[in-house]
């Protein structure tokens, strides 16, 4: 990102006209890319993909086409597609933020104590990993960040994350590629050994 804008549906164009310029660009770009990718993988034309992707809501496919999740940062778009529920999140490794401040605001006391004695760079790396894992899990859940970010618990390098209040448990794939860190959340009993990552 940014890249050329690809075709979107007439309904999606209506949404574009009602969004702020920046949100409109991100919305058009992400939905156009999603339609393009799914067209390549299914053989359907981009505008024939039965997609409902309202702004601020999880994108939905028609029954039988599986589940999708999307995330973007300043220069990358990550699209997850699975036969079962999925959540994805991506951030640049060099994103600037105050690790301890962010952790104290959004994470649990145990999670905060884990970074207390780390160097600033180590703390930033762990907090960023934890953030993308939690956000991927929240997208799997179709939940809201504000009410769920401190409910999802993930220990560093663990294969699973769990929701304290609701009891959800998801399988986590947390990875680094080039200048990005990303996470994928799938059903706890998913038999996927390693997600297939396609780069474009």
């Amino acid at each position: 990102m940014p890249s050329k804008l690809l075709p979107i549906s007439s309904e999606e164009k209506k949404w574009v006209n009602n969004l702020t310029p920046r949100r409109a660009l991100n919305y058009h770009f992400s939905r156009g890319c999603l339609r393009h990718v799914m067209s390549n993988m299914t053989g359907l034309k981009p505008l024939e993909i039965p997609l409902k992707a309202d702004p601020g809501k999880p994108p939905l496919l028609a029954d039988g086409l599986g589940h999708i999740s999307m995330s973007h940062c300043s220069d990358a778009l990550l699209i997850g597609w699975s036969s079962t529920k999925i959540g994805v999140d991506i951030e640049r490794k060099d994103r600037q933020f105050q690790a301890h401040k962010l952790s104290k605001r959004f994470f649990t006391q145990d999670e905060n104590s884990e970074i207390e004695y780390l160097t600033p760079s180590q703390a930033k790396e762990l907090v960023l990993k934890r953030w993308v894992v939690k956000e991927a899990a929240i997208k799997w859940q179709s939940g809201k960040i504000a009410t769920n970010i401190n409910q999802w618990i993930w220990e560093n390098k663990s294969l699973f994350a769990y929701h304290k209040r609701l009891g959800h448990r998801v399988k986590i794939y947390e990875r680094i590629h080039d200048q990005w860190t990303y996470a994928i959340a799938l059903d706890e009993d998913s038999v996927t050994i390693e997600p297939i990552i396609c780069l474009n």
Side-chain angles (χ1 to χ4, degrees):
M1 297 175 68
S3 183
K4 67 176 182 178
L5 295 177
L6 299 168
I8 57 175
S9 70
S10 56
E11 181 182 14
E12 290 159 354
K13 289 178 181 177
K14 291 178 183 177
W15 282 117
V16 166
N17 292 332
N18 291 319
L19 296 172
T20 62
R22 182 171 180 173
R23 285 199 69 200
L25 176 63
N26 286 335
Y27 179 85
H28 191 151
F29 178 83
S30 60
R31 273 55 176 189
C33 285
L34 175 55
R35 289 184 173 280
H36 175 74
V37 168
M38 293 213 63
S39 172
N40 288 342
M41 299 183 78
T42 63
L44 295 172
K45 293 180 180 179
L47 296 181
E48 292 177 350
I49 302 294
L51 170 69
K52 183 170 178 58
D54 297 355
K57 294 185 178 180
L60 299 172
L61 291 170
D63 289 346
L65 280 180
H67 302 260
I68 51 173
S69 179
M70 287 189 297
S71 175
H72 63 78
C73 57
S74 61
D75 61 350
L77 172 67
L78 177 62
I79 299 171
W81 185 28
S82 174
S83 58
T84 58
K85 287 170 60 177
I86 185 172
V88 302
D89 192 55
I90 189 169
E91 293 287 352
R92 283 191 62 91
K93 290 191 300 182
D94 60 0
R95 179 170 180 174
Q96 297 302 308
F97 62 93
Q98 296 180 333
H100 287 84
K101 187 175 181 180
L102 187 146
S103 184
K104 286 180 180 179
R105 180 178 179 187
F106 293 108
F107 298 167
T108 67
Q109 186 174 347
D110 288 343
E111 290 170 333
N112 288 322
S113 63
E114 189 177 357
I115 69 167
E116 189 173 345
Y117 301 104
L118 298 179
T119 66
S121 62
Q122 289 172 331
K124 182 181 174 184
E125 181 181 356
L126 180 54
V127 168
L128 187 61
K129 285 181 181 180
R130 183 161 279 142
W131 182 272
V132 297
V133 165
K134 286 174 176 256
E135 190 157 347
I138 291 169
K139 289 181 179 180
W140 172 92
Q141 173 196 354
S142 297
K144 296 184 180 299
I145 290 179
T147 53
N148 290 281
I149 194 74
N150 64 353
Q151 292 296 313
W152 279 102
I153 304 300
W154 177 74
E155 296 179 2
N156 189 23
K157 298 182 180 179
S158 174
L159 299 178
F160 296 92
Y162 68 92
H163 196 289
K164 290 192 298 183
R165 180 166 44 86
L166 300 177
H168 298 316
R169 194 165 184 260
V170 292
K171 184 178 285 188
I172 293 295
Y173 299 89
E174 181 274 317
R175 300 288 186 271
I176 289 175
H177 173 75
D178 201 2
Q179 64 264 44
W180 303 284
T181 182
Y182 65 91
I184 301 169
L186 293 169
D187 290 352
E188 176 185 9
D189 57 358
S190 170
V191 297
T192 300
I193 299 174
E194 185 76 16
I196 298 171
I197 306 298
C198 305
L199 303 174
N200 186 4

